[in-house]
Amino acid sequence: PNDVDLSGLIVFAFACYSAGTPKLSDFAHFKTHVPQELAEQPFMARLPQKLLSQGALAFVGHVDRAWDYSFAWPGVGGDITTFTSTLRAVMSGKPIGHAFEYFNHRYCELAREVTDTELKGKLHQYNLGDLANPEEVVGLWLAHNDARAYIVFGDPFVRLQPQRLTAA
């Protein structure tokens, strides 16, 4: 409803296209090598706009498909450290922009592992014909693209006020 006051709310939405939609998909061109066009132009999702207009402090969401590679690795298991660290930082009163750095670090780590030529990144090894496991390369590439698609809308300096949070 339009009259709901969402003052003080920080939303974390783990869902495909929860923050917006790019013009071209980063994931749809495995077989054709041609990115799938998703929209005539990229756009911000309506939900974050609506929530922010009604007082929400910030909205964290995903642009493009959200994959479970954000927290689960085939044959390895789950790792939700990035998510829990971010949420703990937000709940302890850190600014959302600061708390979101866990996602930025995750993306940087994956980017280095996938693309770094000096350290023999997996994609570089694969392109050179080195013995790189194709499933591992694809998994890292998916995780890399997934990690870079998280975004914060709103003022990066806003924070919750934990001292004002009480159990009902």
Side-chain angles (χ1 to χ4, degrees):
N2 291 330
D3 60 346
V4 174
D5 180 11
L6 301 175
S7 297
L9 181 71
I10 293 178
V11 177
F12 192 111
F14 178 78
C16 301
Y17 309 103
S18 59
T21 301
K23 177 178 176 144
L24 302 174
S25 176
D26 277 336
F27 300 103
H29 57 281
F30 286 121
K31 293 182 182 177
T32 64
H33 299 287
V34 176
Q36 176 186 10
E37 185 171 300
L38 300 172
E40 287 184 24
Q41 63 184 20
F43 62 90
M44 180 179 175
R46 183 70 181 115
L47 180 60
Q49 294 178 56
K50 181 71 170 161
L51 296 174
L52 292 170
S53 75
Q54 289 183 225
L57 297 173
F59 183 96
V60 177
H62 202 274
V63 177
D64 213 322
R65 292 183 189 134
W67 295 75
D68 62 357
Y69 284 91
S70 295
F71 53 85
W73 291 86
V76 177
D79 181 5
I80 59 171
T81 306
T82 302
F83 290 88
T84 56
S85 297
T86 300
L87 293 173
R88 282 188 181 125
V90 169
M91 294 303 293
S92 71
K94 301 282 189 245
I96 186 67
H98 174 77
F100 196 69
E101 280 299 302
Y102 292 102
F103 278 88
N104 294 334
H105 288 291
R106 172 87 171 138
Y107 168 65
C108 288
E109 289 171 8
L110 289 165
R112 184 176 184 139
E113 190 170 351
V114 171
T115 63
D116 195 332
T117 57
E118 290 180 28
L119 294 177
K120 294 288 188 183
K122 298 296 183 188
L123 190 57
H124 183 68
Q125 291 176 357
Y126 183 76
N127 287 334
L128 291 176
D130 289 351
L131 297 176
N133 179 339
E135 289 180 17
E136 183 180 5
V137 173
V138 169
L140 284 169
W141 184 80
L142 282 168
H144 164 270
N145 285 6
D146 185 54
R148 76 176 180 199
Y150 287 93
I151 188 169
V152 175
F153 288 124
D155 183 346
F157 293 105
V158 299
R159 63 182 79 210
L160 291 179
Q161 296 178 13
Q163 68 277 14
R164 294 181 62 195
L165 299 175
T166 57

